[in-house]
Amino acid sequence: MKKSILFLSLFLAGAFVVKAQQTSNWTSPMHEVKFVSGDSNDAVMSIDPGFQYADLQKEDRVFRLFFHKDNAIIKNARIIDQQSKLVVARGRGNYFWGSARFEFVSGEKFNVKRKRSPNGYEITGPYGPLFRVENFGISPVSTLNELDFLTQAFYVFDQIKTTQKPPSDVIYYFAPATTYNYNP
């Protein structure tokens, strides 16, 4: 009888331990960037410590900003709505040929041009300047609508990704390349 009670109590304790481990959640610490516009619609961008993606939270919506396959060129730029998991915008074209643009699912195309200067650059969209780097620092630029703001936020993420290095405690796992030995 004592053995059965002991066995039953150990079984129940083990069941609680297993259940507790299944429901645990973990999150990695994120870098935060605050967009302050003067009104109550401020936004917060949380950037992954490895600078691979950023989560932009504005009002009740959350967007994920990243480069497809972590290749930092405009045609791999993506903006995803986190609630619906649908693509909101994607980058297309190339700055060199003057065809760089963000295509939104609403059908709008934001042609963007990059104008370089000795100490920075400026990204110009269809309604005027979207993003400006002066003296190697980000300068504030006002936006007209949500699509302008999303495009601007993407360039903020891109500038942070370009200028920062992940800390040494962030570990990347890359699958080893397959090598083929050809002996005729």
Side-chain angles (χ1 to χ4, degrees), residues 106-170:
S106 61
E108 290 193 53
K109 294 181 182 179
F110 273 50
N111 293 328
V112 292
K113 297 188 187 299
R114 181 170 51 192
K115 180 182 171 188
R116 294 187 183 268
S117 66
N119 292 325
Y121 62 95
E122 179 178 279
I123 302 294
T124 306
Y127 305 118
L130 282 174
F131 181 73
R132 187 176 299 141
V133 174
E134 293 176 334
N135 299 325
F136 301 106
I138 298 172
S139 297
V141 176
S142 61
T143 57
L144 295 176
N145 55 26
E146 184 182 28
L147 302 181
D148 262 359
F149 177 73
L150 288 174
T151 307
Q152 182 187 57
F154 196 89
Y155 281 108
V156 169
F157 166 64
D158 182 37
Q159 179 68 14
I160 292 171
K161 180 180 176 66
T162 303
T163 58
Q164 302 295 316
K165 234 171 72 170
S168 61
D169 59 347
V170 175

Side-chain angles (χ1 to χ4, degrees), residues 28-31 46-53 165-167 169-170 172:
S28 61
M30 305 283 271
H31 304 291
S46 302
I47 301 174
D48 173 52
F51 302 107
Q52 291 189 337
Y53 68 90
K165 234 171 72 170
D169 59 347
V170 175
Y172 290 107

Side-chain angles (χ1 to χ4, degrees), residues 66-121:
F66 64 96
F67 286 103
H68 181 61
K69 296 185 180 177
D70 200 29
N71 190 1
I73 56 177
I74 184 90
K75 68 180 181 179
N76 289 332
R78 302 287 189 270
I79 301 174
I80 307 286
D81 184 5
Q82 283 296 92
Q83 280 108 9
S84 65
K85 304 290 185 207
L86 297 175
V87 176
V88 173
R90 59 181 27 187
R92 294 278 192 230
N94 194 329
Y95 291 114
F96 181 76
W97 300 109
S99 62
R101 65 193 179 277
F102 273 91
E103 294 180 355
F104 290 88
V105 290
S106 61
E108 290 193 53
K109 294 181 182 179
F110 273 50
N111 293 328
V112 292
K113 297 188 187 299
R114 181 170 51 192
K115 180 182 171 188
R116 294 187 183 268
S117 66
N119 292 325
Y121 62 95

